[in-house]
Amino acid sequence: MTTATIGTLSTLRAEFTGTAGYLAACTVGLPTAGTRRAVSADVAARPDVAAYSLAVEASRAHFARLVGVTADRVAIGSQTSVQVSILAAALPRGARVLVPEDEFSSLVLPFVHAGRDLQVHAAPLCSLADAITAGVDLVAFSLVQSGSGDVADLDAIVAAADRVGARTVCDATQAVGWMPVDALRVDALLCHAYKWLCCPRGVAFLALREDYARTLAPLHAGWYAGDDPWSSCYGGGADLAGCARRFDVSPAWQAFVGAEPALRAFAEADLREVHAHATGLAARLRERLGLPGPERASAIVTWPDASGDDLARLAAAGIVASGRNGCTRVAFHVFNDDADVDRAARALGH
């Protein structure tokens, strides 16, 4: 990608309107102007299956560009937990899986309930790399933790996993869209696009290293996993795609219609600019609230609020935030600005 093809921060920001006080991209993103237009046009027109397929494949390509892989390494889906189940089913019986404490359950439960007597162990995120020792077969972790906003030490985790020959599975749902992400660093990278990528819910991606993909079975294969989907609609003799497309599930067409323009807008943006913008706003709120800074810059700010009083104060001020795991959680994205920092700080008495 050349510099000339990278959009400016202002170009991406112009895709959003009515965003004041919305600090919940970590819960669900706001639709772009392109998404609104695409969905409205689709609802007003007759269904066009060929156009739907084009939207799916364009979305796949945009996501591949976002995470630095080729489109043939990306499978499409609707939920990350379904995609994780493919990875869990491929592990040998009794394999040892390591996850961070308080990890989002969609990444953990498929391993717990895989029916293969998998040993699922948890360690604090800050010492996850140290817990990757001989005997660990797979490490599954979110690049950015949903509950706390903490950013994983990817370098340390990948290095430790390499030393013991463990697979690495990274859920980047809370990362892709506000920070640069390189899927080539891990064996499998998952992302549901309805949060920071501002897509309709029902658009998920799984990027796989080719050697890892060869160890996996296409458990959910249907017509769209066929080498030629339109020749794979009947019977059991269809040839599956020879790339990551064999792990596709039948796409939620209308969701991809709305996703394609949003993914294109983020793929054309400079995510280094978005990262600096979002983490800068988060840092200013932490400073206003007297909160310590994280070890690695994050766009998500959390603090203890077991009573929910702070969350209620934010809501009373017209601010959309969220409560998770006994904490109040706010998120700053490309569409937020300094006025949102001031609004939140004033609502909390700072």
Side-chain angles (χ1 to χ4, degrees), residues 11-46:
T11 300
L12 184 56
R13 283 177 54 82
E15 283 287 320
F16 299 94
T17 57
T19 65
Y22 191 83
L23 302 180
C26 54
T27 302
V28 58
L30 294 174
T32 65
T35 293
R36 293 178 189 273
R37 289 192 297 269
V39 172
S40 295
D42 179 65
V43 170
R46 291 181 176 181

Short mmCIF file of all heavy atoms in Angstrom, two decimals, residues 11-46:
data_model
loop_
_atom_site.label_atom_id
_atom_site.label_comp_id
_atom_site.label_asym_id
_atom_site.label_seq_id
_atom_site.Cartn_x
_atom_site.Cartn_y
_atom_site.Cartn_z
N THR A 11 -10.58 12.27 6.84
CA THR A 11 -11.42 11.56 5.86
C THR A 11 -12.25 10.48 6.54
O THR A 11 -13.45 10.34 6.30
CB THR A 11 -10.56 10.93 4.75
OG1 THR A 11 -9.83 11.97 4.08
CG2 THR A 11 -11.41 10.18 3.75
N LEU A 12 -11.62 9.71 7.42
CA LEU A 12 -12.34 8.67 8.15
C LEU A 12 -13.32 9.28 9.14
O LEU A 12 -14.47 8.81 9.26
CB LEU A 12 -11.35 7.76 8.87
CG LEU A 12 -11.93 6.55 9.60
CD1 LEU A 12 -12.75 5.68 8.66
CD2 LEU A 12 -10.82 5.74 10.26
N ARG A 13 -12.93 10.34 9.81
CA ARG A 13 -13.82 10.99 10.77
C ARG A 13 -15.08 11.53 10.08
O ARG A 13 -16.17 11.54 10.67
CB ARG A 13 -13.09 12.14 11.49
CG ARG A 13 -12.13 11.67 12.58
CD ARG A 13 -11.37 12.85 13.19
NE ARG A 13 -12.23 13.89 13.69
CZ ARG A 13 -12.85 13.88 14.88
NH1 ARG A 13 -12.71 12.84 15.67
NH2 ARG A 13 -13.60 14.89 15.25
N ALA A 14 -14.93 11.95 8.83
CA ALA A 14 -16.07 12.51 8.10
C ALA A 14 -17.14 11.46 7.81
O ALA A 14 -18.27 11.82 7.46
CB ALA A 14 -15.59 13.14 6.79
N GLU A 15 -16.82 10.18 7.99
CA GLU A 15 -17.80 9.11 7.79
C GLU A 15 -18.81 9.03 8.92
O GLU A 15 -19.81 8.32 8.81
CB GLU A 15 -17.07 7.77 7.66
CG GLU A 15 -16.43 7.53 6.32
CD GLU A 15 -17.46 7.23 5.25
OE1 GLU A 15 -18.44 6.51 5.52
OE2 GLU A 15 -17.29 7.72 4.12
N PHE A 16 -18.57 9.75 10.02
CA PHE A 16 -19.42 9.62 11.20
C PHE A 16 -20.10 10.93 11.55
O PHE A 16 -19.51 12.00 11.47
CB PHE A 16 -18.58 9.15 12.40
CG PHE A 16 -17.93 7.81 12.20
CD1 PHE A 16 -16.64 7.71 11.71
CD2 PHE A 16 -18.63 6.64 12.50
CE1 PHE A 16 -16.04 6.47 11.52
CE2 PHE A 16 -18.05 5.40 12.31
CZ PHE A 16 -16.75 5.32 11.82
N THR A 17 -21.37 10.83 11.95
CA THR A 17 -22.13 11.99 12.42
C THR A 17 -22.88 11.60 13.68
O THR A 17 -23.12 10.42 13.95
CB THR A 17 -23.14 12.46 11.35
OG1 THR A 17 -24.01 11.36 11.01
CG2 THR A 17 -22.42 12.95 10.10
N GLY A 18 -23.25 12.60 14.47
CA GLY A 18 -24.04 12.36 15.67
C GLY A 18 -23.31 11.53 16.71
O GLY A 18 -23.92 10.67 17.36
N THR A 19 -22.03 11.78 16.89
CA THR A 19 -21.21 10.93 17.74
C THR A 19 -20.94 11.49 19.12
O THR A 19 -20.34 10.82 19.95
CB THR A 19 -19.86 10.67 17.06
OG1 THR A 19 -19.14 11.91 16.95
CG2 THR A 19 -20.05 10.07 15.67
N ALA A 20 -21.36 12.72 19.39
CA ALA A 20 -21.02 13.37 20.66
C ALA A 20 -21.47 12.52 21.85
O ALA A 20 -22.62 12.10 21.93
CB ALA A 20 -21.67 14.75 20.74
N GLY A 21 -20.55 12.26 22.76
CA GLY A 21 -20.87 11.51 23.97
C GLY A 21 -20.95 10.02 23.80
O GLY A 21 -21.27 9.30 24.76
N TYR A 22 -20.63 9.51 22.62
CA TYR A 22 -20.67 8.06 22.42
C TYR A 22 -19.28 7.50 22.70
O TYR A 22 -18.36 7.63 21.89
CB TYR A 22 -21.11 7.70 21.00
CG TYR A 22 -21.40 6.21 20.87
CD1 TYR A 22 -22.63 5.68 21.24
CD2 TYR A 22 -20.43 5.34 20.40
CE1 TYR A 22 -22.89 4.32 21.15
CE2 TYR A 22 -20.68 3.98 20.31
CZ TYR A 22 -21.91 3.48 20.69
OH TYR A 22 -22.15 2.12 20.61
N LEU A 23 -19.13 6.87 23.85
CA LEU A 23 -17.85 6.32 24.29
C LEU A 23 -17.97 4.81 24.47
O LEU A 23 -17.54 4.25 25.46
CB LEU A 23 -17.42 6.98 25.60
CG LEU A 23 -17.27 8.51 25.57
CD1 LEU A 23 -16.83 9.04 26.93
CD2 LEU A 23 -16.28 8.94 24.50
N ALA A 24 -18.52 4.15 23.46
CA ALA A 24 -18.81 2.72 23.60
C ALA A 24 -18.48 1.92 22.35
O ALA A 24 -19.12 0.93 22.05
CB ALA A 24 -20.29 2.53 23.97
N ALA A 25 -17.44 2.33 21.63
CA ALA A 25 -17.02 1.53 20.47
C ALA A 25 -16.59 0.14 20.89
O ALA A 25 -16.64 -0.80 20.09
CB ALA A 25 -15.89 2.23 19.72
N CYS A 26 -16.15 -0.02 22.14
CA CYS A 26 -15.76 -1.34 22.63
C CYS A 26 -16.97 -2.24 22.86
O CYS A 26 -16.81 -3.46 23.06
CB CYS A 26 -14.95 -1.20 23.93
SG CYS A 26 -15.78 -0.25 25.21
N THR A 27 -18.16 -1.68 22.83
CA THR A 27 -19.40 -2.46 22.93
C THR A 27 -20.00 -2.68 21.56
O THR A 27 -20.28 -3.81 21.15
CB THR A 27 -20.42 -1.74 23.83
OG1 THR A 27 -19.84 -1.53 25.12
CG2 THR A 27 -21.69 -2.57 23.97
N VAL A 28 -20.19 -1.61 20.83
CA VAL A 28 -20.68 -1.70 19.44
C VAL A 28 -20.32 -0.39 18.75
O VAL A 28 -20.48 0.70 19.32
CB VAL A 28 -22.20 -1.98 19.38
CG1 VAL A 28 -22.99 -0.90 20.09
CG2 VAL A 28 -22.67 -2.12 17.95
N GLY A 29 -19.79 -0.49 17.54
CA GLY A 29 -19.40 0.69 16.81
C GLY A 29 -20.58 1.43 16.21
O GLY A 29 -21.69 0.89 16.08
N LEU A 30 -20.34 2.68 15.82
CA LEU A 30 -21.36 3.47 15.14
C LEU A 30 -21.26 3.25 13.63
O LEU A 30 -20.17 3.08 13.10
CB LEU A 30 -21.16 4.96 15.45
CG LEU A 30 -21.40 5.37 16.90
CD1 LEU A 30 -21.02 6.84 17.09
CD2 LEU A 30 -22.84 5.14 17.30
N PRO A 31 -22.37 3.25 12.92
CA PRO A 31 -22.31 3.02 11.46
C PRO A 31 -21.68 4.19 10.72
O PRO A 31 -21.87 5.35 11.09
CB PRO A 31 -23.78 2.85 11.08
CG PRO A 31 -24.54 3.59 12.14
CD PRO A 31 -23.75 3.42 13.40
N THR A 32 -20.94 3.88 9.69
CA THR A 32 -20.39 4.92 8.83
C THR A 32 -21.47 5.42 7.88
O THR A 32 -22.51 4.78 7.69
CB THR A 32 -19.22 4.39 7.99
OG1 THR A 32 -19.72 3.39 7.09
CG2 THR A 32 -18.13 3.79 8.87
N ALA A 33 -21.20 6.56 7.27
CA ALA A 33 -22.13 7.08 6.27
C ALA A 33 -22.26 6.10 5.11
O ALA A 33 -23.36 5.88 4.57
CB ALA A 33 -21.65 8.44 5.77
N GLY A 34 -21.16 5.46 4.74
CA GLY A 34 -21.20 4.48 3.66
C GLY A 34 -22.07 3.29 4.00
O GLY A 34 -22.80 2.77 3.14
N THR A 35 -22.01 2.85 5.25
CA THR A 35 -22.86 1.74 5.68
C THR A 35 -24.33 2.12 5.61
O THR A 35 -25.17 1.34 5.13
CB THR A 35 -22.48 1.32 7.12
OG1 THR A 35 -21.17 0.76 7.11
CG2 THR A 35 -23.47 0.30 7.66
N ARG A 36 -24.64 3.31 6.07
CA ARG A 36 -26.04 3.76 6.04
C ARG A 36 -26.57 3.78 4.61
O ARG A 36 -27.69 3.34 4.33
CB ARG A 36 -26.15 5.16 6.66
CG ARG A 36 -25.85 5.22 8.17
CD ARG A 36 -25.96 6.66 8.66
NE ARG A 36 -25.49 6.81 10.02
CZ ARG A 36 -26.25 6.63 11.10
NH1 ARG A 36 -27.51 6.28 10.95
NH2 ARG A 36 -25.74 6.79 12.31
N ARG A 37 -25.77 4.31 3.70
CA ARG A 37 -26.20 4.38 2.31
C ARG A 37 -26.39 2.98 1.72
O ARG A 37 -27.38 2.71 1.02
CB ARG A 37 -25.19 5.17 1.47
CG ARG A 37 -25.17 6.66 1.75
CD ARG A 37 -24.36 7.40 0.68
NE ARG A 37 -22.96 6.98 0.68
CZ ARG A 37 -22.00 7.56 1.38
NH1 ARG A 37 -22.29 8.59 2.17
NH2 ARG A 37 -20.75 7.14 1.29
N ALA A 38 -25.44 2.10 1.98
CA ALA A 38 -25.49 0.76 1.39
C ALA A 38 -26.68 -0.03 1.91
O ALA A 38 -27.38 -0.70 1.14
CB ALA A 38 -24.19 0.02 1.69
N VAL A 39 -26.94 0.04 3.19
CA VAL A 39 -28.05 -0.71 3.78
C VAL A 39 -29.39 -0.14 3.30
O VAL A 39 -30.31 -0.89 2.96
CB VAL A 39 -27.96 -0.70 5.32
CG1 VAL A 39 -29.22 -1.29 5.94
CG2 VAL A 39 -26.72 -1.48 5.78
N SER A 40 -29.47 1.18 3.25
CA SER A 40 -30.72 1.81 2.78
C SER A 40 -31.00 1.44 1.33
O SER A 40 -32.15 1.13 0.97
CB SER A 40 -30.62 3.34 2.92
OG SER A 40 -30.52 3.72 4.28
N ALA A 41 -29.96 1.45 0.50
CA ALA A 41 -30.16 1.10 -0.91
C ALA A 41 -30.56 -0.36 -1.05
O ALA A 41 -31.41 -0.70 -1.89
CB ALA A 41 -28.87 1.37 -1.69
N ASP A 42 -29.99 -1.23 -0.23
CA ASP A 42 -30.33 -2.65 -0.32
C ASP A 42 -31.78 -2.90 0.08
O ASP A 42 -32.49 -3.68 -0.57
CB ASP A 42 -29.39 -3.46 0.57
CG ASP A 42 -29.71 -4.94 0.53
OD1 ASP A 42 -29.55 -5.55 -0.54
OD2 ASP A 42 -30.15 -5.48 1.57
N VAL A 43 -32.23 -2.24 1.13
CA VAL A 43 -33.60 -2.41 1.59
C VAL A 43 -34.59 -1.91 0.54
O VAL A 43 -35.68 -2.48 0.37
CB VAL A 43 -33.81 -1.68 2.94
CG1 VAL A 43 -35.29 -1.65 3.32
CG2 VAL A 43 -33.00 -2.35 4.04
N ALA A 44 -34.21 -0.87 -0.18
CA ALA A 44 -35.12 -0.26 -1.17
C ALA A 44 -35.14 -1.03 -2.48
O ALA A 44 -36.03 -0.78 -3.32
CB ALA A 44 -34.71 1.18 -1.43
N ALA A 45 -34.18 -1.93 -2.68
CA ALA A 45 -34.08 -2.62 -3.96
C ALA A 45 -34.48 -4.09 -3.83
O ALA A 45 -34.67 -4.61 -2.74
CB ALA A 45 -32.65 -2.52 -4.48
N ARG A 46 -34.62 -4.75 -4.96
CA ARG A 46 -34.82 -6.18 -4.95
C ARG A 46 -33.53 -6.88 -4.53
O ARG A 46 -32.44 -6.42 -4.85
CB ARG A 46 -35.24 -6.67 -6.34
CG ARG A 46 -36.62 -6.21 -6.77
CD ARG A 46 -36.96 -6.77 -8.15
NE ARG A 46 -38.31 -6.42 -8.55
CZ ARG A 46 -38.87 -6.80 -9.69
NH1 ARG A 46 -38.15 -7.53 -10.55
NH2 ARG A 46 -40.11 -6.46 -9.98
#
